[in-house]
Amino acid sequence: MLGPKNRKKFSLINSGILVEILEKYFNNPDSIDKSEFDLIASYFDVDLSTRARLSSKTNSDDDYIRDFGYLHANINPLKENENILNNENSTPELSKIYLGKIGWEFSHIRDISERKWLYDYVENIELNINKDQKISLLNRLFIVENFEQFLHKTFVGARWYSLEGSESLITILDKIISDSSNYDSINFGMPHRGRLNVLAHIFDKPYSEIFSEFREDNINNMGSGKIDEYLRDVKYHLGAKKNKDSELFLFPNPSHLEMINPVILGATKAKQVTNNNSFGVLIHGDAAFPGEGINSESFNLSKLSGYDCNGSIHIVTNNQIGFTTNPENSFPNLFATDFVRGFDIPIIHINGDDIFSCLKATEVAINYKNKFNKDIVLDLISYRRFGHQEMDDPTITQPLLYEKIADHPSITKIFSEELIREKIIDEDEIIKMKSLHTQKMTDSNKPVETQETSIWPGEFTLDEIDYEKGSQSISINELEKINTKLYKVDSKFGLNKRLSSIFSKRLKFDKNLKLEWGHAEMLSLASLVENNISIRFSGQDSQRGTFSQRNAIIWDREGKGNINLLDKFTDKNIYADVINSPLSEMAALAFEFGYSIIENKSLVIWEAQFGDFVNNAQSVIDEFIVSSQPKWGLDSNLVLLLPHGYEGMGPNHSSGWIERFLESADNNNIAIANCTTSSQYFHLLRAHTQMQKQSNPLIIFTPKSLLRHPISSSSVKELTSSKFKNVIKNRNVKNANKIIIGSGKIIVDIMNDPDYKKLSPKAELLSIEMLYPFPKSNLKNIFNDHKKLKEIVWVQEEPQNRGAWKFMKDRLENIMPKSISLKYVGRDPSAATASGSASVHKIQQKRIIDCILK
């Protein structure tokens, strides 16, 4: 129906809407209303008096076969397609290609040249598979199937999320790997279903090691060998690496099924940035693929500047059921893959029982990805032979489906019978093939102490993270050179008038110049790039800064381009990318985490527009950032910048959820800082990147109103004569009888209050700059220096059930003298993080400060 003339017009309108109307019509002509019918007739210049004439025309021509044959193809291994196409006027060759066991879904692709390439390739591809290759394929299928059956017999009552019903996945992965030897690396992400099979047969994880994990008799020899310190994860979450023609990586993944996908994209991008020719292979579940929004976020990232990693191959392991939920309860459309059409991505539906269709579809996918550097989706339509996991009884909820599955032969049986008919192999050879493999597994199932081979390369240690010891000073001369180079802009560039004034002030560099937060930050970043450390800085407003504080990228006011100020310090091997991310937190943060795994010696920063927005990425924080090292040995040096501070802006623009991070902090898994001054922030960024330590994520609660506050702005002299300090003594009182301790903005608010001078001269005011690791020795030494100390007060602006109070209370009580009392000053407990009333906020804040100063 859609010839060249109509295709051109088709691309000018909302093709997605028309495709859906056409699909509805061809499945059931009575399902569309008159307005939809008239829309089709109008846009395709079809003169119709009845709907039957439209049906007669479209169901028979070659264009329709090409564009909508997938609706009629035999792609479901469990049932014949009931939507039989009357194709008497189409060519037999096209009918064979488009109505067989592959559904080629390309009609939504807007680029005509792409679409033409796809049709031409599909119609001319030939698979030449000889006798030996067929036997090899059968042997591969036997190994995959026999492995699962062996686990059923040997480890009764265990769970591992069998691949049975989707065994052809392994042959698809085999082909992707064998046809991609020109790549330096391939990064795999997948959920738990079939993961043990992939570990065993793609990554060559020894059977003995897998079986040992089932028995758990080798646990003390795994990883670091310190079971209480190395938490590990269940066997079907673990990762692996393998060197073949390409370096293969299977990244560890939690049970949050699709969360690994943007991590893979970030890791792939990091490799590409360092000239490693790499791509991602992402394996999805059919219910989770449309169901989890992180996939839409990830596809949205895929072609954006700063995130584009030249396309990935996606495989939906479509077992037609999600846990116990049927497809009609999982997604509203015909296919689980329908939502990706809006991203202009080709979709190939494959009957998972046909091994040659799997190979053919995979070849098209590989070549499309290589030619167009775009994503492509393989929808491997198969089934799940058993329940969601091995102890689940699916007949409770899907009795008819599982009655059909019980009678359905496996792909191994289907293919072996085909080869027997072709006289390529006989029954005796098949029995021998299976027997040899079973014996191999039996021999491997013996208790033996072996060092683990395929866990992700990384070692979890408990070394203390001490940014104070690792901080390095910088001379005023070096800093002045960096400053001049950073802010001197060619006069021909039309610099914004406001920025021109700011830059002029910053260029008047002397020891008394006050460095605002953004200025100190840019100097810190520039100093690192100058010392050959690459930087990637991303967030929703990161180029300018949400509060116009950064201006790392400047734009010509006449629209003649832009300049990255940090590029002045880069060379061919060093980069300084500052990227405005899309309006996404979960996928964007997961992307940066993946990037930081690979580039963990660079400075990788993700900045939330407001600290509260980290809520949208909480699962990424829980599953990756705070726990990936002890679970999997993944080293990440990622920095999170979370604007935090109570200023009467309501619950969604106040809190960065300090308490959540502190609750997740232990064994030096992360560091958590809340700096008071620009010099502290300057030194912290440098120390995090330059000091010798195990990689760890760093969470920094950054200011809003303090960005330009005089008390938070350090002079050049202060900055160049200092290093990072875990604790700041703001008054240097001798023999204090009271010590007031707080962190961040509340300390500045106290010092800036008109009544600050009324604070007792015997009261010390401490700023805790590093919340975790808890600065135990610093505080203990301070307490011991004050012999007349009677009272310690913890002050915070957050409600009592939030902020750092609960974390600090126990730790302070453990190190303070027994005769000393500990008191809390701050807001009352609250279900919401902050007030949305500026007036209420001011009253509450003044009440806290007055309580301290009285």
Side-chain angles (χ1 to χ4, degrees):
M1 185 180 82
L2 302 181
K5 175 185 174 184
N6 286 326
R7 280 186 188 162
K8 183 177 180 181
K9 193 166 188 180
F10 189 66
S11 68
L12 298 177
I13 59 177
N14 192 327
S15 57
I17 293 174
L18 280 178
V19 167
E20 294 208 7
I21 295 172
L22 287 167
E23 281 188 6
K24 285 165 63 180
Y25 180 83
F26 294 130
N27 278 300
N28 179 7
D30 295 325
S31 67
I32 68 171
D33 59 31
K34 186 177 184 302
S35 64
E36 293 173 321
F37 179 78
D38 291 343
L39 182 66
I40 297 171
S42 168
Y43 273 102
F44 297 114
D45 299 323
V46 182
D47 183 17
L48 301 167
S49 57
T50 66
R51 297 189 183 190
R53 286 185 60 186
L54 178 61
S55 177
S56 172
K57 166 68 177 171
T58 58
N59 281 2
S60 60
D61 71 9
D62 289 347
D63 280 339
Y64 175 76
I65 293 288
R66 287 188 174 97
D67 289 347
F68 297 103
Y70 68 92
L71 295 173
H72 310 278
N74 186 20
I75 55 177
N76 192 331
L78 296 181
K79 62 180 180 180
E80 292 289 328
N81 194 332
E82 297 174 356
N83 189 12
I84 304 299
L85 182 63
N86 175 18
N87 61 328
E88 58 186 20
N89 295 329
S90 64
T91 59
E93 292 81 9
L94 288 186
S95 294
K96 182 180 178 182
I97 292 168
Y98 291 103
L99 301 178
K101 293 190 175 182
I102 306 178
W104 309 99
E105 188 178 357
F106 306 147
S107 59
H108 58 281
I109 302 297
R110 295 183 180 93
D111 190 303
I112 295 173
S113 62
E114 267 186 52
R115 209 161 58 236
K116 182 180 184 305
W117 183 92
L118 283 162
Y119 289 127
D120 288 346
Y121 199 96
V122 165
E123 291 169 22
N124 291 286
I125 185 176
E126 289 186 16
L127 285 180
N128 297 310
I129 301 177
N130 60 36
K131 173 183 174 181
D132 290 340
Q133 289 171 326
K134 289 180 179 179
I135 293 174
S136 178
L137 281 170
L138 179 60
N139 186 56
R140 191 66 162 158
L141 290 172
F142 262 121
I143 288 172
V144 171
E145 179 184 88
N146 203 32
F147 172 76
E148 302 286 2
Q149 292 176 351
F150 184 85
L151 293 179
H152 281 293
K153 296 173 185 176
T154 310
F155 303 106
V156 178
R159 68 173 68 183
W160 65 93
Y161 303 94
S162 163
L163 187 63
E164 289 162 284
S166 302
E167 292 92 342
S168 50
L169 173 67
I170 299 298
T171 61
I172 289 175
L173 297 180
D174 283 340
K175 184 162 181 61
I176 290 173
I177 294 166
S178 65
D179 288 7
S180 303
S181 58
N182 57 317
Y183 282 89
D184 297 321
S185 63
I186 308 174
N187 308 303
F188 294 84
M190 70 178 297
H192 44 250
R193 182 159 309 284
R195 194 178 190 92
L196 290 191
N197 220 307
V198 170
L199 283 166
H201 302 125
I202 299 296
F203 287 87
D204 299 336
K205 183 169 183 174
Y207 288 150
S208 59
E209 192 174 320
I210 294 173
F211 300 155
S212 176
E213 288 172 351
F214 274 93
R215 294 190 305 269
E216 296 195 1
D217 56 4
N218 197 32
I219 195 71
N220 287 313
N221 297 290
M222 294 178 180
S224 66
K226 300 176 182 179
I227 190 60
D228 291 329
E229 298 171 2
Y230 200 98
L231 298 181
R232 281 179 50 84
D233 203 344
V234 291
K235 49 192 166 289
Y236 41 81
H237 287 175
L238 300 180
K241 69 179 291 190
K242 173 185 174 181
N243 289 310
K244 202 177 179 184
D245 295 324
S246 304
E247 194 171 27
L248 310 179
F249 295 86
L250 176 65
F251 283 63
N253 191 33
S255 285
H256 293 62
L257 303 173
E258 304 289 321
M259 196 180 295
I260 193 64
N261 301 324
V263 175
I264 298 296
L265 300 183
T268 301
K269 183 66 176 178
K271 290 182 181 182
Q272 292 172 351
V273 165
T274 54
N275 298 315
N276 182 296
N277 189 17
S278 181
F279 76 101
V281 177
L282 306 180
I283 304 169
H284 312 269
D286 55 308
F289 190 54
E292 296 194 13
I294 197 166
N295 284 325
S296 292
E297 291 188 34
S298 299
F299 280 115
N300 188 56
L301 288 175
S302 62
K303 296 306 290 183
L304 296 178
S305 175
Y307 298 92
D308 184 354
C309 47
N310 298 325
S312 303
I313 296 177
H314 299 260
I315 306 166
V316 179
T317 309
N318 189 342
N319 56 47
Q320 307 186 63
I321 191 170
F323 200 79
T324 64
T325 306
N326 290 316
E328 59 266 27
N329 302 120
S330 291
F331 48 88
N333 302 315
L334 187 60
F335 294 106
T337 55
D338 280 354
F339 80 97
V340 306
R341 294 194 303 195
F343 296 99
D344 255 9
I345 294 171
I347 303 162
I348 307 174
H349 307 278
I350 320 165
N351 188 318
D353 270 1
D354 190 88
I355 192 69
F356 299 131
S357 293
C358 292
L359 296 176
K360 182 177 181 180
T362 305
E363 183 164 326
V364 173
I366 294 166
N367 283 280
Y368 173 85
K369 179 257 174 283
N370 290 340
K371 181 169 179 61
F372 294 101
N373 288 322
K374 283 182 59 181
D375 293 278
I376 188 166
V377 174
L378 296 174
D379 181 20
L380 180 63
I381 302 175
S382 50
Y383 56 93
R384 193 180 69 196
R385 186 160 291 280
F386 300 98
H388 178 67
Q389 38 85 3
E390 287 63 32
M391 291 178 286
D392 175 47
D393 181 4
T395 64
I396 296 172
T397 46
Q398 281 85 17
L400 297 181
L401 175 64
Y402 273 88
E403 185 178 323
K404 186 180 293 185
I405 290 173
D407 294 334
H408 188 78
S410 69
I411 185 176
T412 309
K413 184 172 179 58
I414 293 169
F415 191 50
S416 62
E417 289 177 352
E418 183 178 331
L419 297 194
I420 289 171
R421 286 194 300 272
E422 293 179 16
K423 301 190 184 311
I424 291 176
I425 199 168
D426 59 34
E427 287 281 4
D428 289 341
E429 291 174 291
I430 289 173
I431 292 171
K432 182 179 179 181
M433 188 183 289
K434 186 171 182 177
S435 177
L436 286 172
H437 183 243
T438 301
Q439 187 59 51
K440 178 181 178 181
M441 290 189 292
T442 302
D443 292 342
S444 299
N445 187 28
K446 297 174 182 177
V448 57
E449 288 191 2
T450 58
Q451 182 67 29
E452 198 168 32
T453 60
S454 55
I455 192 169
W456 190 268
E459 195 73 10
F460 181 51
T461 66
L462 297 178
D463 295 340
E464 182 80 12
I465 307 167
D466 193 338
Y467 286 90
E468 192 168 88
K469 289 181 180 178
S471 180
Q472 298 179 19
S473 61
I474 189 169
S475 71
I476 191 168
N477 290 334
E478 183 181 356
L479 198 62
E480 184 174 12
K481 288 178 184 177
I482 291 170
N483 187 77
T484 302
K485 188 175 180 179
L486 185 65
Y487 287 111
K488 193 168 184 178
V489 179
D490 192 312
S491 59
K492 294 178 182 178
F493 186 86
L495 186 62
N496 175 278
K497 289 183 179 179
R498 181 182 173 188
L499 292 186
S500 180
S501 174
I502 292 172
F503 285 14
S504 294
K505 290 178 182 178
R506 291 181 177 181
L507 284 168
K508 294 174 182 177
F509 198 85
D510 62 49
K511 65 180 182 179
N512 296 316
L513 175 68
K514 284 283 189 175
L515 300 174
E516 295 176 344
W517 200 272
H519 189 183
E521 177 188 74
M522 287 296 291
L523 288 173
S524 181
L525 298 178
S527 73
L528 291 170
V529 181
E530 181 93 329
N531 282 283
N532 298 319
I533 293 172
S534 291
I535 291 172
R536 177 182 167 91
F537 195 133
S538 72
Q540 284 160 21
D541 292 319
S542 290
Q543 292 180 347
R544 187 197 70 177
T546 296
F547 311 99
S548 295
Q549 81 278 15
R550 181 168 300 119
N551 298 298
I553 309 290
I554 56 175
W555 283 264
D556 184 279
R557 62 175 178 262
E558 296 179 0
K560 296 179 182 178
N562 58 57
I563 296 173
N564 180 346
L565 296 179
L566 296 173
D567 276 347
K568 300 176 182 181
F569 302 88
T570 62
D571 61 28
K572 63 180 180 179
N573 297 315
I574 301 298
Y575 58 87
D577 297 333
V578 184
I579 300 159
N580 278 348
S581 75
L583 194 62
S584 161
E585 284 83 30
M586 182 175 279
L589 179 55
F591 186 101
E592 302 307 330
F593 175 80
Y595 193 99
S596 70
I597 294 169
I598 304 303
E599 281 285 84
N600 60 24
K601 300 305 179 187
S602 300
L603 178 58
V604 183
I605 300 175
W606 178 79
E607 180 180 49
Q609 192 177 49
F610 287 90
D612 313 67
F613 295 176
V614 80
N615 261 338
N616 295 334
Q618 189 62 47
S619 295
V620 176
I621 293 164
D622 293 341
E623 293 292 353
F624 289 114
I625 292 172
V626 303
S627 63
S628 63
Q629 238 296 344
K631 286 193 301 188
W632 306 319
L634 284 180
D635 293 328
S636 167
N637 230 15
L638 180 63
V639 176
L640 271 63
L641 302 183
L642 306 180
H644 175 92
Y646 283 59
E647 289 146 350
M649 296 180 67
N652 294 127
H653 292 84
S654 299
S655 173
W657 299 90
I658 288 176
E659 64 278 5
R660 285 186 184 169
F661 289 94
L662 291 173
E663 285 170 358
S664 301
D666 216 329
N667 301 127
N668 298 310
N669 59 333
I670 55 176
I672 304 170
N674 192 11
C675 299
T676 310
T677 67
S678 61
S679 63
Q680 282 284 93
Y681 180 53
F682 172 92
H683 289 302
L684 179 59
L685 289 178
R686 283 167 49 85
H688 180 69
T689 315
Q690 292 178 318
M691 63 189 280
Q692 297 298 312
K693 63 176 177 61
Q694 177 175 295
S695 294
N696 64 276
L698 169 64
I699 319 302
I700 306 177
F701 293 94
T702 57
K704 294 173 290 182
S705 62
L706 301 188
L707 289 170
R708 299 173 178 87
H709 200 291
I711 292 177
S712 287
S713 299
S714 305
S715 69
V716 170
K717 182 180 179 180
E718 289 170 334
L719 189 147
T720 54
S721 62
S722 67
K723 296 182 181 181
F724 180 77
K725 297 177 182 177
N726 292 326
V727 180
I728 294 177
K729 292 188 284 187
N730 290 296
R731 308 186 85 203
N732 276 317
V733 174
K734 303 293 184 182
N735 288 321
N737 57 25
K738 177 194 287 188
I739 294 179
I740 302 159
I741 309 175
S743 183
K745 177 176 170 291
I746 188 64
I747 297 297
V748 176
D749 284 354
I750 291 169
M751 295 170 68
N752 193 56
D753 192 90
D755 294 328
Y756 178 55
K757 59 182 179 294
K758 295 180 180 179
L759 183 62
S760 168
K762 289 296 183 179
E764 178 60 273
L765 183 64
L766 301 181
S767 299
I768 304 292
E769 304 289 292
M770 184 62 67
L771 295 165
Y772 183 83
F774 177 66
K776 178 179 177 180
S777 59
N778 301 75
L779 289 171
K780 196 169 184 178
N781 290 336
I782 292 171
F783 295 164
N784 291 337
D785 285 344
H786 296 282
K787 305 302 181 185
K788 298 181 179 180
L789 184 61
K790 296 180 180 179
E791 183 182 38
I792 294 175
V793 178
W794 174 263
V795 60
Q796 66 179 40
E797 55 185 348
E798 299 88 357
Q800 189 173 7
N801 57 326
R802 303 182 186 279
W805 165 240
K806 288 186 178 180
F807 177 85
M808 288 292 172
K809 181 177 181 292
D810 291 341
R811 288 162 177 78
L812 288 172
E813 287 178 340
N814 283 337
I815 61 171
M816 54 192 264
K818 299 297 181 184
S819 59
I820 306 301
S821 65
L822 177 62
K823 181 181 177 183
Y824 164 83
V825 174
R827 283 172 169 79
D828 292 334
S830 172
T833 53
S835 170
S837 164
S839 298
V840 170
H841 161 77
K842 289 177 182 177
I843 293 170
Q844 291 175 336
Q845 198 78 348
K846 183 61 176 170
R847 188 185 299 154
I848 295 169
I849 294 170
D850 286 349
C851 187
I852 292 296
L853 298 179
K854 66 181 179 181

